[in-house]
């Protein structure tokens, strides 16, 4: 299965195998999600839960308001403790432990610069609170799941097939700033295969523009807006254990697209949209 997600305010991915995705951004204050698979594209099935459940989004702590606690099981006879008031139900288990281990891994990796991990986390959370207040909605739901345009997917897939087996020459480690916590690169490095690199067979500005052109009509039809292309990262490879933290994009880059080009995973990997 190959998935394309053009997602809204937040996104989180946790990889249990290797997944190869392509990122690009459009100048628009909204987003969409696209899929190409055997699954019914018009009927996406996914669990729903509140913020601060999988990872901190509005507060620095993950919810520990478990569904099995007395006030959730029998609210008529058990009052909700003050600490759990307005806290989202936690259906995913002890996510605080995973989060603490992840951030500690960052601190240990960067040593004397480890304090930057906490600073970056604080900025990520503050931005997740601040950014949505400046957003304008262009759609009712904020995301949509449809079949991937064949022309768009074919362009990317053909380029990837030319270079996926030439790993050392075609892929480079991403250079993340010290203390950056958007990915746990200190544990699971991410790699980029640049589609605009003319040194790679088939790559260059022409391919980049073809990808933009193939995606634009679908996005403009859904949003009802004329879009301006801004940035196209290239094909990013996530390795086993990789996490992409929940985040919002910086203005004006607030509509993002993820195209799942290829993958080899032990079990399906989740993508959160809030």
């Amino acid at each position: 299965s190959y998935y394309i997600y053009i997602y809204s305010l937040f996104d989180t991915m946790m990889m249990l195998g290797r997944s190869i995705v392509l990122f690009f951004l459009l100048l628009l204050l909204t987003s969409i999600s696209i899929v190409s698979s055997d699954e019914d594209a018009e009927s996406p099935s996914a669990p729903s839960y509140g913020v601060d459940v999988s990872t901190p989004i509005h507060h620095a702590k993950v919810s520990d308001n478990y569904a099995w606690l007395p006030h959730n099981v029998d609210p008529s006879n058990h009052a909700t403790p003050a600490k759990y008031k307005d806290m989202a139900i936690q259906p995913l288990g002890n996510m605080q432990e995973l989060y603490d281990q992840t951030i500690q891994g960052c601190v240990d990796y960067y040593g004397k610069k480890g304090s930057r991990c906490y600073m970056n986390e604080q900025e990520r959370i503050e931005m997740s609170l601040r950014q949505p207040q400046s957003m304008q909605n262009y759609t009712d739901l904020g995301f949509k799941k449809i079949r991937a345009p064949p022309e768009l997917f074919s362009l990317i897939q053909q380029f990837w097939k030319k270079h996926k087996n030439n790993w050392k020459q075609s892929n480079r480690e991403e250079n993340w700033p010290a203390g950056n916590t958007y990915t746990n690169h200190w544990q699971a490095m991410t790699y980029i295969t640049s589609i605009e690199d003319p040194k790679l067979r088939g790559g260059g500005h022409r391919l980049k523009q073809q990808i933009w052109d193939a995606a634009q009509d679908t996005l403009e039809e859904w949003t009802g807006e004329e879009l301006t292309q801004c940035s196209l990262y290239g094909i990013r490879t996530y390795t086993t254990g990789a996490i992409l933290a929940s985040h919002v994009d910086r203005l004006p880059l607030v509509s993002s697209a993820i195209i799942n080009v290829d993958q080899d995973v032990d079990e399906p990997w989740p993508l959160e949209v809030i």
Side-chain angles (χ1 to χ4, degrees):
S1 298
Y2 296 97
Y3 300 90
I4 302 177
Y5 292 99
I6 300 179
Y7 51 94
S8 190
L9 301 181
F10 301 86
D11 61 274
T12 299
M13 295 190 293
M14 298 182 185
M15 301 297 156
L16 298 175
R18 192 176 70 166
S19 185
I20 297 89
V21 298
L22 179 139
F23 287 78
F24 62 99
L25 302 172
L26 297 173
L27 181 55
L28 184 67
L29 304 182
T30 188
S31 61
I32 180 176
S33 70
I34 309 175
V35 68
S36 173
S37 70
D38 294 333
E39 182 182 358
D40 182 358
E42 297 299 328
S43 303
S45 58
S48 61
Y49 41 80
V51 297
D52 302 321
V53 169
S54 62
T55 190
I57 296 176
H58 285 173
H59 305 88
K61 185 177 183 298
V62 179
S63 171
D64 59 356
N65 187 18
Y66 299 108
W68 47 262
L69 291 172
H71 64 274
N72 291 323
V73 174
D74 187 10
S76 298
N77 296 312
H78 298 275
T80 301
K83 65 171 293 188
Y84 293 120
K85 185 179 180 181
D86 299 325
M87 184 182 292
I89 299 292
Q90 174 57 269
L92 303 180
N94 190 357
M95 299 302 290
Q96 183 67 47
E97 181 178 11
L98 174 62
Y99 175 72
D100 290 341
Q101 291 174 351
T102 300
I103 300 304
Q104 187 61 49
C106 178
V107 173
D108 293 343
Y109 181 82
Y110 283 106
K112 293 181 179 180
K113 297 181 179 180
S115 60
R116 297 187 185 183
C117 302
Y118 298 117
M119 294 171 58
N120 277 307
E121 273 299 278
Q122 182 178 351
E123 292 176 0
R124 180 184 66 82
I125 294 170
E126 290 177 351
M127 192 170 167
S128 294
L129 283 167
R130 181 179 64 250
Q131 171 88 325
Q133 300 178 42
S134 63
M135 301 290 285
Q136 176 180 338
N137 293 330
Y138 288 90
T139 64
D140 293 331
L141 183 59
F143 73 95
K144 188 178 180 181
K145 189 177 180 180
I146 63 176
R147 293 292 174 185
E151 179 186 359
L152 171 63
F153 190 75
S154 178
L155 286 168
I156 302 165
Q157 189 180 44
Q158 288 177 25
F159 175 75
W160 175 246
K161 285 182 177 180
K162 294 175 183 177
H163 300 286
K164 65 180 296 184
N165 295 322
N166 190 18
W167 184 255
K168 290 185 178 181
Q169 294 184 11
S170 301
N171 302 271
R172 60 175 174 82
E173 291 186 1
E174 285 195 269
N175 184 23
W176 296 97
N180 185 288
T181 54
Y182 277 71
T183 69
N184 59 335
H185 53 276
W186 54 88
Q187 177 184 359
M189 179 55 67
T190 57
Y191 299 85
I192 283 288
T193 306
S194 175
I195 65 168
E196 55 185 344
D197 186 351
K199 297 178 183 178
L200 298 181
R201 187 158 56 98
H205 177 75
R206 183 170 180 270
L207 174 62
K208 180 179 180 179
Q209 191 60 50
Q210 287 177 325
I211 292 173
W212 279 118
D213 294 342
Q216 190 163 359
D217 287 347
T218 299
L219 298 172
E220 290 187 340
E221 180 181 358
W222 180 68
T223 61
E225 298 290 329
E226 182 178 349
L227 306 181
T228 301
Q229 61 194 51
C230 294
S231 176
L232 201 162
Y233 293 177
I235 299 177
R236 174 184 288 166
T237 299
Y238 290 92
T239 53
T240 301
I243 298 174
L244 174 63
S246 297
H247 66 278
V248 295
D249 289 327
R250 299 184 183 279
L251 289 172
L253 304 178
V254 292
S255 181
S256 307
I258 307 174
I259 301 175
N260 191 343
V261 180
D262 196 3
Q263 67 181 32
D264 178 13
V265 296
D266 299 324
E267 60 185 75
W269 51 270
L271 172 66
E272 293 182 349
V273 181
I274 299 179

